[in-house]
Amino acid sequence: MSRLEAKKPLLFTHEPLTKDRVSQSLSVLSGVLKSCYGPAGRLKQLHNGVGGYVCTTSQSSAILRHLSVSHPVLRVLTASVQNHISRFSDCGLFTAILCCSLIENFKSLNVGACTIIKVSKHLLSLCMDYLKSEACGCRVSVDFSCVETLLCLVRSILTSKPACMLTKTEVDHLTMLILKAFMFTIPCHVKTNAVLGKCIIVPVKGRRVVDSTVLPGLLLETPEILLAEQPVVKRTSSNVIKVALFCMSMSGDCFDPEGGTVVVHRGISLEMSELNQLLNIGKQLINDEVGLVVCQKVIHPSLKQYLKENHVIAVDRAGLSPMEPLSQMTGSKPIASTHLLSPSSYGSLKDVRIETVASKRFLHLIPNHTAVSSLVLCNRNETAWDELKRACETAEHVLQLTIKEPLALLGGGCTETHLASYIRHKSYSLSSSGLEDVDCSWTQFHLVADGFCRSLESVACSLNHDDGEILTDMVYGHCWFVPSGFSSDSDWSDLVSECGCRIIGKTENIKWRLLQGQFGSPVTQDCPKEPLEKVANFLTLDCFSAKCSGLQVAVETANLILDLSYIIEDQN
């Protein structure tokens, strides 16, 4: 008998945010995330204690996936951020840093949690209403007839991932490729319910980034076929290539009696019977003028040879990942059983060719109407390639979100400081009726509003990793970075040339103040102005949908954690 152990009682933790363990853990997590933020963010290496895969990254999706968090409060925070990332792919670090800063600033106030939650909800609604209004001074419209803004959006994502180790030339090259690949996925003929296609990333490691390229259609790596020259493919009378897509095994050894008893007559071979059935399928495919057969699993060698002799290309072991884009691109329906084979399951292609890209040879499936594209992605080593793949997937998702909501927010810390300036202006012009709505005193409201604004500004401050000063101007509320090595009493106009998002250059009528982070006295602020000109090359931009969601998630998660009165843990 195994030894019985006495059951441990539940562990109750009252007011968890007052405990040193939580404060220290939150501070460490905040420091780790802040140090990763932006183009100059520091890289992190994550691995377990017994060896294995080492992840080098500065991206929130990879960090939070590999980070082991034990305290329930931090698990709530990281789970909220990961859920945001799963839906939007971008602005994960922004969300996490802002949430940590809000908790740290709010819990230091001598104001009740209920009041803080009410006021912060009010401030969040002010932010969201402003961001979605035409008067918003920190957003730009995205015109899909002009690619400049789209290029800025993609370029901003790539330059914010230092572990990709890209030069300016490589960033420009990849920016064009990602945008081109995305454009291939937009349907040419838009119907009522238009569905975007898919961009497939084809890995090529150990090659130069500038060897990367994009092609319409799908690339399949099939070493067996690629020994020959351009293949001769069976075509229909209308000069298209019929495609049959199988998601079943065609190896000939898939007979399953389902646990029953099989009676076999003398002289009958199950293997030959299976093979004959497969060859009959081959005959039907040839009679139906099919020119390409793609099987997710294995095709029997005899069937492959038979199809080849009749000018039908047979590709097996395709795997699960290309099946959905293949079906979408060709219009074919995956065949799961030999009994379901019918002409209505077939799709079509415009052409099939052999392509050599970055020293690899592929079977290039060219569709009639482009809905799928293949991005052949190269990088010098596996670590940099993994990080670059995540960045490209994020860029594609951001472009998809931008189609739904064709707006972008100014990056480089300018949206955060601009919002902080706007909230300060609105809070100091709050009417008495507005104060009654949140049911608190004037002093309490301004304490919470100041903590909210300092949290936004601390996100902008996190972009600086070189001990330089960070400024905000008193006209537009944008963020400006002073190089390190200069004292705070220097003439700032000689040290800065443009704001963080690069939309505003240095002018004579701009005055600055230091961003104080979470220290200093409350600052009064006029309503920040909108820049006169919002079209410029090489702007730093953020995804509108992702950042708006990140702002909401950060505030709501901080409010949830502040409202925790007890944590009850089962220790068994």
Side-chain angles (χ1 to χ4, degrees):
M1 268 181 79
S2 61
R3 181 172 59 86
L4 296 177
E5 187 177 331
K7 192 173 183 180
K8 296 176 183 177
L10 296 173
L11 177 63
F12 290 79
T13 306
H14 181 54
E15 299 294 345
L17 288 184
T18 62
K19 308 302 179 187
D20 290 340
R21 179 191 166 200
V22 179
S23 298
Q24 290 169 2
S25 299
L26 190 66
S27 178
V28 169
L29 179 63
S30 177
V32 168
L33 297 173
K34 284 180 178 179
S35 67
C36 297
Y37 197 44
R42 305 304 190 241
L43 304 185
K44 301 291 173 287
Q45 280 197 332
L46 301 125
H47 59 96
N48 58 36
V50 293
Y53 177 73
V54 178
C55 175
T56 303
T57 185
S58 66
Q59 295 189 45
S60 57
S61 57
I63 289 171
L64 295 178
R65 186 169 65 250
H66 289 90
L67 205 60
S68 178
V69 178
S70 58
H71 197 279
V73 169
L74 297 189
R75 285 208 298 266
V76 169
L77 194 157
T78 54
S80 293
V81 176
Q82 285 179 297
N83 182 56
H84 162 81
I85 295 169
S86 69
R87 293 169 56 223
F88 294 93
S89 299
D90 199 21
C91 296
L93 285 175
F94 163 80
T95 306
I97 293 168
L98 179 57
C99 186
C100 291
S101 298
L102 286 167
I103 295 168
E104 289 173 341
N105 282 322
F106 284 164
K107 73 185 182 67
S108 65
L109 302 177
N110 190 22
V111 181
C114 184
T115 302
I116 291 174
I117 292 168
K118 282 183 182 177
V119 175
S120 63
K121 283 182 177 178
H122 175 75
L123 298 174
L124 175 61
S125 67
L126 284 178
C127 288
M128 298 309 298
D129 291 343
Y130 178 64
L131 290 172
K132 293 179 179 180
S133 71
E134 292 294 330
C136 179
C138 60
R139 78 177 196 185
V140 294
S141 297
V142 177
D143 183 1
F144 275 81
S145 64
C146 177
V147 299
E148 288 303 323
T149 312
L150 295 170
L151 289 173
C152 290
L153 201 53
V154 176
R155 188 184 293 111
S156 300
I157 292 170
L158 293 179
T159 54
S160 68
K161 317 297 185 215
C164 295
M165 298 186 288
L166 301 175
T167 64
K168 183 183 181 301
T169 303
E170 291 168 344
V171 168
D172 292 341
H173 178 69
L174 281 175
T175 298
M176 290 297 297
L177 289 186
I178 292 168
L179 186 55
K180 185 179 178 182
F182 174 71
M183 290 301 185
F184 277 140
T185 67
I186 299 175
C188 299
H189 307 289
V190 179
K191 299 177 182 178
T192 308
N193 297 317
V195 178
L196 288 176
K198 195 171 180 64
C199 174
I200 307 299
I201 294 177
V202 181
V204 179
K205 300 170 187 177
R207 301 284 297 186
R208 301 180 308 158
V209 175
V210 291
D211 290 333
S212 301
T213 189
V214 64
L215 295 167
L218 194 64
L219 293 179
L220 293 178
E221 195 170 358
T222 51
E224 295 177 9
I225 296 175
L226 303 183
L227 298 173
E229 296 300 319
Q230 295 296 340
V232 179
V233 192
K234 189 181 184 71
R235 293 175 179 268
T236 64
S237 55
S238 54
N239 200 32
V240 298
I241 301 170
K242 274 190 183 180
V243 181
L245 197 58
F246 289 88
C247 57
M248 54 176 273
S249 174
M250 302 178 77
S251 62
D253 59 356
C254 58
F255 184 78
D256 183 11
E258 298 182 359
T261 303
V262 180
V263 178
V264 182
H265 295 285
R266 186 182 299 275
I268 299 297
S269 169
L270 283 177
E271 290 78 10
M272 287 304 300
S273 176
E274 283 283 328
L275 179 57
N276 288 333
Q277 188 176 1
L278 289 173
L279 292 174
N280 287 334
I281 293 173
K283 289 176 184 176
Q284 184 177 343
L285 292 170
I286 292 164
N287 291 335
D288 291 340
E289 298 183 301
V290 171
L292 174 67
V293 175
V294 179
C295 182
Q296 180 181 331
K297 300 179 182 179
V298 179
I299 299 178
H300 195 286
S302 298
L303 177 58
K304 287 179 76 172
Q305 182 62 32
Y306 177 70
L307 292 171
K308 182 181 178 182
E309 289 170 357
N310 289 274
H311 304 296
V312 178
I313 297 177
V315 179
D316 64 347
R317 296 182 175 90
L320 181 62
S321 57
M323 299 302 280
E324 182 186 348
L326 259 175
S327 177
Q328 184 180 13
M329 182 177 77
T330 62
S332 56
K333 299 173 185 175
I335 301 164
S337 169
T338 54
H339 305 294
L340 300 176
L341 183 62
S342 70
S344 63
S345 303
Y346 303 146
S348 65
L349 285 170
K350 181 180 179 181
D351 201 2
V352 175
R353 299 184 62 81
I354 289 174
E355 295 283 351
T356 302
V357 182
S359 76
K360 281 192 173 185
R361 302 189 80 195
F362 298 92
L363 193 66
H364 184 197
L365 311 184
I366 304 171
N368 294 304
H369 302 288
T370 304
V372 173
S373 64
S374 294
L375 174 61
V376 182
L377 191 61
C378 307
N379 211 337
R380 289 170 283 275
N381 57 62
E382 186 173 356
T383 298
W385 189 89
D386 289 342
E387 189 80 348
L388 185 57
K389 177 177 181 283
R390 285 190 287 265
C392 292
E393 288 172 342
T394 298
E396 184 195 5
H397 194 184
V398 163
L399 290 170
Q400 291 171 350
L401 293 169
T402 306
I403 276 192
K404 295 178 184 176
E405 206 163 8
L407 297 167
L409 289 173
L410 300 176
C414 290
T415 290
E416 291 85 341
T417 54
H418 182 88
L419 273 180
S421 299
Y422 175 78
I423 291 299
R424 283 201 170 94
H425 166 73
K426 295 296 286 186
S427 63
Y428 277 90
S429 59
L430 184 70
S431 64
S432 56
S433 61
L435 205 59
E436 290 173 3
D437 291 340
V438 291
D439 193 23
C440 68
S441 68
W442 191 91
T443 303
Q444 289 174 323
F445 183 89
H446 284 282
L447 282 172
V448 177
D450 191 61
F452 189 94
C453 294
R454 291 188 191 283
S455 298
L456 284 169
E457 290 171 345
S458 72
V459 179
C461 290
S462 302
L463 287 166
N464 181 29
H465 302 279
D466 298 317
D467 300 322
E469 299 288 359
I470 305 173
L471 316 174
T472 183
D473 66 82
M474 304 298 286
V475 180
Y476 304 105
H478 280 224
C479 185
W480 303 71
F481 298 93
V482 178
S484 59
F486 296 94
S487 61
S488 58
D489 56 355
S490 302
D491 187 355
W492 291 329
S493 61
D494 295 334
L495 304 176
V496 296
S497 58
E498 59 187 9
C499 67
C501 69
R502 299 175 178 162
I503 203 170
I504 302 171
K506 179 177 62 178
T507 58
E508 293 180 1
N509 62 339
I510 288 184
K511 296 186 183 300
W512 295 275
R513 69 172 178 85
L514 280 169
L515 275 185
Q516 300 292 343
Q518 53 185 321
F519 306 104
S521 56
V523 180
T524 57
Q525 175 77 50
D526 294 331
C527 186
K529 294 181 180 179
E530 181 179 357
L532 297 176
E533 185 62 51
K534 280 192 177 179
V535 179
N537 292 328
F538 302 108
L539 285 182
T540 301
L541 298 177
D542 289 326
C543 175
F544 181 83
S545 300
K547 200 144 201 177
C548 286
S549 170
L551 177 61
Q552 288 180 294
V553 169
V555 175
E556 289 167 0
T557 304
N559 286 344
L560 173 65
I561 291 171
L562 287 166
D563 203 27
L564 289 175
S565 178
Y566 277 96
I567 292 177
I568 305 170
E569 295 178 82
D570 187 352
Q571 301 182 87
N572 296 291

